[in-house]
Amino acid sequence: MQSFFSFFRLFACTAAFFALPVLAQPVIPGVLSSEKAAVSAPAAVSAPAPTASPAEEPGIECATCHKEQFDNMAVSRHGASGDARTPWGKAGKEGRNEMCTACHGKADEHMEDPIEKKPETSFNKKTKAEDKNKPCASCHVGGNRMHWSGSPHESSRTACSDCHKVHIKKDPVLVMETQPGVCFTCHKDVRSHTMRVSSHPLRSGQMGCTSCHQPHGTVGDSLLIKNTVNETCYTCHADKRGPFLWEHPPARDECTNCHQPHGTNNAPMLQVRTPYLCQQCHMAVQHPSAVYSGNNLPPNAAGDKILAQGCPNCHVKIHGSNHPSGVRFMR
């Protein structure tokens, strides 16, 4: 009898186990039995909404003809698609990246007839500088460009594309070693100065034109990065800043009274070699006003005024002195 009850309990547990999936289904009023399977089945994952294919992005079709420019843009700063500030990352009205059309504008007619029709904005010689600058000014505003309006370059109808090359990995005007070559395209007189014996290290790439000048406009003269010539020079030549106990007025007034910053044949970039440079101001009696020439070379007298550095052979602190006895800039 005991074995019979044990078998019965085993049979009841087995039946209950197989009945669980059926009992677990929820009873929904008004739902037919044929619909229960659909209710009990897990909901299907909805497919993602279709996105625009790369071929639909404005500018992709440009690569068909302009592949070199397209590939160069892809590795440049303007081609950073993950940066919403760039032309290739800026979203248009339809939510797609504007790419080439961000700067060149609409080009539907150009796509249909590439020979006769041009994009809305073409960066060629026939296009006005104002029209070529508009796409650039739509992003590049403020900061170092806040004084562009009315600046010498803007007034002379200089376009951004005259100096900057965007269809390239590295813009030459932004690289210190190649920047002077871009500026020398127009400023040929300055180029000739830099080829002289004494000049700033532009040819070696240790500094560029923008080390002293801000081409997009400033509030000072000659597009200098500071308000005055001396303030600009002091960014590197801080030892000449002073203040000094004994000031040298020409040096305090302006560095270019004695120096030509783009280069001369008189080291260190002096306008005129010494002692003749000093005698333009110092005409007092005794040796300042004496006439020096080749006759003063050794063994004749006054050789120290005509050889080596000239007057600075003795007046070594010519920019100013803090010595109590430095009134003659000799210490």
Side-chain angles (χ1 to χ4, degrees):
M1 180 63 68
Q2 184 177 0
S3 60
F4 174 79
F5 284 110
S6 299
F7 175 80
F8 181 81
R9 284 197 297 268
L10 178 61
F11 176 82
C13 291
T14 304
F17 176 80
F18 285 103
L20 284 176
V22 179
L23 297 175
Q25 292 184 0
V27 179
I28 304 176
V31 178
L32 300 177
S33 59
S34 60
E35 299 175 350
K36 290 183 179 180
V39 174
S40 60
V45 179
S46 59
T51 57
S53 62
E56 297 177 355
E57 296 286 356
I60 290 292
E61 296 181 0
C62 302
T64 306
C65 300
H66 308 282
K67 187 177 187 305
E68 181 180 356
Q69 292 86 344
F70 190 90
D71 292 342
N72 288 334
M73 280 289 291
V75 294
S76 68
R77 292 184 178 181
H78 287 92
S81 58
D83 189 346
R85 299 172 300 174
T86 67
W88 283 27
K90 185 185 298 183
K93 296 180 179 179
E94 300 179 2
R96 300 177 299 180
N97 291 350
E98 295 185 353
M99 302 184 74
C100 304
T101 59
C103 299
H104 291 279
K106 296 180 180 180
D108 297 337
E109 295 182 358
H110 176 66
M111 298 297 294
E112 296 176 359
D113 188 358
I115 304 300
E116 298 296 332
K117 303 295 182 179
K118 299 297 180 183
E120 186 177 6
T121 302
S122 298
F123 295 85
N124 52 37
K125 295 182 179 180
K126 296 181 180 180
T127 306
K128 295 181 179 180
E130 295 83 354
D131 296 333
K132 289 189 284 187
N133 290 343
K134 284 181 181 179
C136 305
S138 64
C139 296
H140 300 280
V141 294
N144 292 334
R145 293 161 292 274
M146 64 184 302
H147 297 296
W148 170 254
S149 180
S151 67
H153 282 135
E154 194 270 343
S155 300
S156 61
R157 301 295 187 268
T158 301
C160 303
S161 57
D162 293 339
C163 303
H164 294 277
K165 306 300 178 187
V166 297
H167 298 118
I168 194 170
K169 184 176 182 180
K170 288 187 177 180
D171 189 352
V173 80
L174 300 180
V175 180
M176 197 70 71
E177 292 81 0
T178 56
Q179 182 187 91
V182 178
C183 301
F184 293 159
T185 305
C186 297
H187 303 282
K188 301 184 185 300
D189 57 329
V190 178
R191 180 182 183 275
S192 67
H193 291 166
T194 62
M195 296 296 176
R196 295 176 179 176
V197 174
S198 179
S199 65
H200 279 110
L202 271 74
R203 285 179 290 172
S204 61
Q206 298 182 43
M207 64 180 295
C209 302
T210 54
S211 299
C212 302
H213 299 280
Q214 171 48 259
H216 300 107
T218 63
V219 296
D221 296 332
S222 303
L223 295 176
L224 294 175
I225 59 175
K226 299 295 184 180
N227 293 333
T228 65
V229 172
N230 283 21
E231 289 181 19
T232 303
C233 299
Y234 293 156
T235 57
C236 293
H237 305 281
D239 57 315
K240 308 298 189 297
R241 182 191 300 272
F244 297 107
L245 179 62
W246 304 102
E247 299 279 6
H248 194 185
R252 176 56 57 188
D253 176 45
E254 190 168 292
C255 301
T256 54
N257 287 331
C258 301
H259 298 280
Q260 165 51 262
H262 293 125
T264 69
N265 288 324
N266 306 299
M269 291 184 285
L270 295 177
Q271 298 275 13
V272 183
R273 64 159 298 177
T274 57
Y276 312 116
L277 174 67
C278 303
Q279 288 182 331
Q280 292 178 352
C281 295
H282 299 281
M283 296 180 292
V285 295
Q286 299 180 356
H287 76 263
S289 60
V291 177
Y292 298 106
S293 66
N295 295 327
N296 299 108
L297 295 175
N300 296 333
D304 60 324
K305 314 297 189 305
I306 200 72
L307 294 177
Q309 298 185 58
C311 302
N313 287 334
C314 298
H315 306 278
V316 292
K317 296 294 183 181
I318 200 65
H319 294 98
S321 174
N322 282 321
H323 196 281
S325 299
V327 61
R328 301 293 182 187
F329 309 111
M330 301 179 72
R331 61 186 73 185

